[in-house]
Amino acid sequence: MLQALIFDVDGTLADTESAHRAAFNAAFAQAGLDWHWSEALYTRLLQVTGGKERIAQYWNTVDPAHARSSSAAGMIERIHAIKTGIYEELVGGGRLALRPGVERLIREAGEAGMPMAIATTTTPANIDALLRTPFGAGWRSLFAAVCNGASPVPKKPAPDIYVAALRGLGLPAYACIAFEDSGNGLRAATAAGIPTIVTPTAYTALDDLGDALLALPHLGDPAQPLPQRIPGASQRWVDLAALACWHEGTLFDAS
Ligand code: XBP
Ligand code: MG
């Protein structure tokens, strides 16, 4: 039986990567660097999960000698802190909307008493900036566990952040459904044993998403229905009843 939902953040709850890219570029300029990440370059850099790790990887390709110097880690921390502040300004106050169906499904699950968790590689302040307006300052109470990029575990595609979310929920992987947007996220959730629904964005549309339980353009909403009928549902949006039906199918397949 489906007992909990686990949500990725970037790309899944909202289409955040353009704001992340703008924030990285503004931070580079503020730090006096002439680095600029174009959309095409950023799409490739997204294969490296975590903003600090992404900066380190890029620095290592453009200036390996300095990237390996003793001051590099401190410099990355400083650039990333500037980036996080800019990102909060860009998405906070409801300036970036959640993707279709996200708010509706989270509210439905909350009202039904279905436990939820977050499993993301992003910085905690980014989650607060995104969720504080739609769900209020107490958004954290909607989730039994919020596992994020501050935790000292390997980042996606490693399964660790999903394993931490399962531990926080106190549930086995087969009792949950995860929501992801990227190949790295899908690999992480799948390696933790969690059936996963993917809703890719333009940044992740070319990722290998073949292991997903289901791939959809978004979760759909009465005001913004999915373009196609979805299996086991008469409406064109994902709700708890449809999720329970797909989840039962995975258990049946596995037996
Ligand atoms: C996606 C990421 C994040 C963001 C940047 O995370 O890789 O690192 O791009 O965020 P997810 P930070 O899809 O798991 O939410 O700069 O705060 O690391
Ligand atoms: Mg993501």
Side-chain angles (χ1 to χ4, degrees):
M1 196 175 92
L2 178 62
Q3 292 180 64
L5 309 180
I6 309 178
F7 294 92
D8 167 50
V9 173
D10 289 308
T12 300
L13 297 186
D15 200 346
T16 53
E17 291 301 350
S18 295
H20 279 297
R21 184 172 78 86
F24 279 114
N25 284 331
F28 298 153
Q30 266 191 42
L33 295 160
D34 64 356
W35 299 348
H36 179 85
W37 290 353
S38 68
E39 199 162 299
L41 172 60
Y42 191 66
T43 303
R44 290 199 300 279
L45 286 170
L46 277 176
Q47 292 308 318
V48 183
T49 56
K52 287 182 221 169
E53 291 80 355
R54 197 167 298 142
I55 296 169
Q57 161 88 10
Y58 176 76
W59 197 359
N60 205 35
T61 56
V62 294
D63 187 3
H66 285 116
R68 290 186 199 125
S69 70
S70 58
S71 59
M75 172 86 169
I76 290 171
E77 284 291 336
R78 282 193 295 281
I79 298 169
H80 192 258
I82 299 171
K83 179 257 165 181
T84 298
I86 297 168
Y87 178 84
E88 285 179 80
E89 283 294 312
L90 288 175
V91 312
R95 282 181 283 279
L96 187 68
L98 301 181
R99 293 187 70 190
V102 167
E103 183 174 346
R104 174 189 51 75
L105 182 62
I106 289 177
R107 287 197 190 282
E108 185 190 352
E111 280 157 23
M114 163 97 49
M116 290 176 279
I118 283 178
T120 174
T121 62
T122 213
T123 299
N126 299 350
I127 313 172
D128 185 59
L130 194 64
L131 298 187
R132 180 175 277 266
T133 295
F135 296 112
W139 66 266
R140 177 73 181 69
S141 64
L142 285 165
F143 300 95
V146 177
C147 304
N148 55 58
S151 49
V153 297
K155 292 201 160 111
K156 300 173 188 178
D160 304 54
I161 206 77
Y162 275 101
V163 172
L166 292 172
R167 204 178 303 123
L169 288 162
L171 288 170
Y174 62 78
C176 305
I177 282 184
F179 296 86
E180 272 289 351
D181 68 303
S182 69
N184 276 327
L186 174 62
R187 279 203 289 288
T190 304
I194 308 167
T196 304
I197 293 173
V198 287
T199 51
T201 68
Y203 281 103
T204 55
L206 298 179
D207 287 6
D208 180 0
L209 302 173
D211 285 337
L213 171 63
L214 201 64
L216 296 169
H218 50 76
L219 296 177
D221 235 5
Q224 222 175 318
L226 284 159
Q228 76 264 37
R229 290 266 328 263
I230 50 175
S234 53
Q235 80 284 351
R236 294 192 186 199
W237 54 87
V238 174
D239 63 3
L240 285 187
L243 290 173
C245 164
W246 300 330
H247 186 259
E248 201 154 310
T250 67
L251 297 182
F252 183 72
D253 288 350
S255 62

